[in-house]
Amino acid sequence: MLKNIPYIIFDADPFCFGPISTTLNVVEKLKHRNKLTSDTKFILLGTLTSSQLGQKSGLFDEIYECDTTSATELSRYSELISGASLYIINTNLNSIDFVSKFNTSIIYIDTLFWMWDNLHVDLHKTEKTFIQDFHGIERNIERFHDKLGNYQVIPPILHNSLQQCMMDDYPPEGILITLGGIDTVYADTTDFYYHFLKELLSIPQLQNESNITIAGGGKTIVNLAEIFAKTHPHIHIGCFSRHDFLQKLHRARKVLANPGLTTFYECITLHKDVFFLPPQNYSQQLQLDVYLQNYYSHEYGFLWQPEYGYPDIPPYLPEKDGLALIKKCNDLFINNPKERKRAMNKISQFLEKEKNNANYCHDIFQNNSGDIIADYIENSISNQKLQYIT
């Protein structure tokens, strides 16, 4: 498809914001460093939030609609994949086996390694695996050590503009509600957020707030924007570019956020006063439990807990089982007025309080993971050229 032109394919698991957000951080880093040859093309295979944010970024030369968790869909791009200089996968274990059938070198980035119940792919099939640090990765490194191959644990993959945002002395204003990617290929999207937002926007603090932004990704955020435009025309709802989102996050007086890992890292880096909304997928539930135990008190998040009538959600479940439990929690919540009221009361109390001084742990943000990954990519491409010459 791209004869005699070097190109790199990026594949971010279409699962909320994390994989595509961190992928965009790496791509932007590569472009900023400008060490690859000027004719190197950047291609994204993706769907839902991945392709949506990819398009917003303007970083890719080509974006092809593809559910990269499906070997059938990937097979449509076999020729493209076979000719790539590198195939870079972010948190999508499903595509490794398919891509490994070609001579294309694979670099794998895993932002959720800490939570896998099973590693069904042998990572020796990758040239390099980067594991993003988080509570619990040590256990899985020990469990899956025979399958890891050449791996490296790296700090959180954060966006360069976070440092720039921190120097912005713009006065805090308004409230940001960030819902994450919402849609995923792993489960049907429910109408949870429609019911939740309808209830949330009716609490007095938000009724009286003139500056509210609701951010999210996927088709659902477009539908929510259309629905609430009729009843709440003053609220800005949409999918924003990384730069615009981080600027809105930095300038928000208060943040109501999905418990995604990338969102957490960004909030804690920017010292945001944040309340974490009810988890919408399995990893968010496990992550929120960690946040509330290690960084925030329990008044700064709404966790699904057995003492309030929700099923127990243990770690290391198969993803399908974890998602089923989360859906059950969503249904119980939507159909229980008492629980809806408890959630709104917690959020109301959060919005009324002065800024929370969370127990920030800066040691995990010391190094720039974007540079670590970019270094490896550039060296890998360079080594390929040397092998070709010899």
Side-chain angles (χ1 to χ4, degrees), residues 284-297:
Q284 288 181 2
Q285 168 76 9
L286 302 181
Q287 286 159 186
L288 182 54
D289 194 21
V290 171
Y291 307 161
L292 300 181
Q293 286 189 43
N294 296 276
Y295 300 90
Y296 300 88
S297 68

Side-chain angles (χ1 to χ4, degrees), residues 11 68-72 74-75 78 81 87 89 92-104 106 108 118-126 147:
D11 164 359
T68 53
T69 68
S70 164
T72 302
L74 281 170
S75 65
S78 292
I81 293 168
Y87 192 99
I89 302 171
N92 182 17
L93 290 164
N94 298 286
S95 58
I96 292 175
D97 279 342
F98 180 85
V99 178
S100 66
K101 294 187 296 185
F102 304 96
N103 289 326
T104 306
I106 300 170
Y108 177 58
N118 179 38
L119 195 61
H120 62 270
V121 176
D122 188 344
L123 294 180
H124 287 90
K125 294 179 179 179
T126 73
K147 290 185 174 183

Side-chain angles (χ1 to χ4, degrees), residues 55-204:
Q55 289 162 2
K56 289 274 183 182
S57 74
L59 292 171
F60 296 99
D61 297 288
E62 298 287 347
I63 298 176
Y64 296 101
E65 176 66 24
C66 178
D67 174 3
T68 53
T69 68
S70 164
T72 302
E73 290 211 24
L74 281 170
S75 65
R76 291 162 39 207
Y77 298 100
S78 292
E79 185 181 347
L80 183 73
I81 293 168
S82 66
S85 301
L86 281 176
Y87 192 99
I88 300 175
I89 302 171
N90 193 321
T91 318
N92 182 17
L93 290 164
N94 298 286
S95 58
I96 292 175
D97 279 342
F98 180 85
V99 178
S100 66
K101 294 187 296 185
F102 304 96
N103 289 326
T104 306
S105 294
I106 300 170
I107 294 175
Y108 177 58
I109 302 165
D110 198 325
T111 60
L112 292 177
F113 182 83
W114 58 272
M115 67 161 278
W116 300 134
D117 69 301
N118 179 38
L119 195 61
H120 62 270
V121 176
D122 188 344
L123 294 180
H124 287 90
K125 294 179 179 179
T126 73
E127 178 185 320
K128 178 80 170 184
T129 291
F130 292 101
I131 298 172
Q132 181 174 252
D133 200 3
F134 190 64
H135 298 254
I137 63 163
E138 297 84 1
R139 179 184 185 274
N140 272 355
I141 287 174
E142 184 177 346
R143 288 175 68 208
F144 306 135
H145 193 269
D146 290 344
K147 290 185 174 183
L148 289 185
N150 181 18
Y151 77 92
Q152 180 178 351
V153 176
I154 58 173
I157 307 167
L158 303 176
H159 195 276
N160 281 342
S161 65
L162 281 171
Q163 291 180 325
Q164 188 178 351
C165 285
M166 293 170 76
M167 295 187 289
D168 176 11
D169 59 358
Y170 199 91
E173 64 174 26
I175 293 171
L176 173 66
I177 303 169
T178 172
L179 307 180
I182 307 179
D183 303 313
T184 171
V185 297
Y186 298 106
D188 293 333
T189 304
T190 69
D191 58 357
F192 174 86
Y193 272 131
Y194 167 72
H195 295 290
F196 185 81
L197 287 174
K198 191 175 180 181
E199 194 111 17
L200 179 66
L201 295 173
S202 68
I203 66 176

Side-chain angles (χ1 to χ4, degrees), residues 223-259:
N223 295 336
L224 290 172
E226 291 175 354
I227 292 169
F228 285 99
K230 300 170 185 175
T231 55
H232 298 77
H234 64 292
I235 297 177
H236 193 189
I237 304 177
C239 178
F240 304 96
S241 69
R242 294 294 297 145
H243 174 77
D244 288 346
F245 172 77
L246 290 175
Q247 188 177 70
K248 292 177 186 296
L249 178 64
H250 174 61
R251 294 181 177 181
R253 185 178 76 255
K254 294 271 188 177
V255 179
L256 305 177
N258 75 298

Side-chain angles (χ1 to χ4, degrees), residues 12 15 24 54 92 118 125 131 175 210 218 290 308 357 384 389:
F15 174 77
L24 293 179
N92 182 17
N118 179 38
K125 294 179 179 179
I131 298 172
I175 293 171
S210 60
V290 171
Y308 293 101
N357 292 314
Q384 286 181 24
I389 292 170

Side-chain angles (χ1 to χ4, degrees), residues 294-343:
N294 296 276
Y295 300 90
Y296 300 88
S297 68
H298 277 265
E299 60 192 298
Y300 289 95
F302 192 92
L303 190 68
W304 304 125
Q305 296 172 285
E307 53 262 47
Y308 293 101
Y310 301 103
D312 182 43
I313 306 175
Y316 307 115
L317 290 175
E319 182 74 9
K320 184 178 178 181
D321 295 345
L323 285 170
L325 287 173
I326 296 299
K327 186 180 185 307
K328 187 173 182 180
C329 292
N330 287 344
D331 293 341
L332 287 168
F333 178 87
I334 291 300
N335 293 296
N336 188 332
K338 185 177 179 181
E339 274 301 282
R340 298 200 306 272
K341 183 177 180 181
R342 182 171 74 89

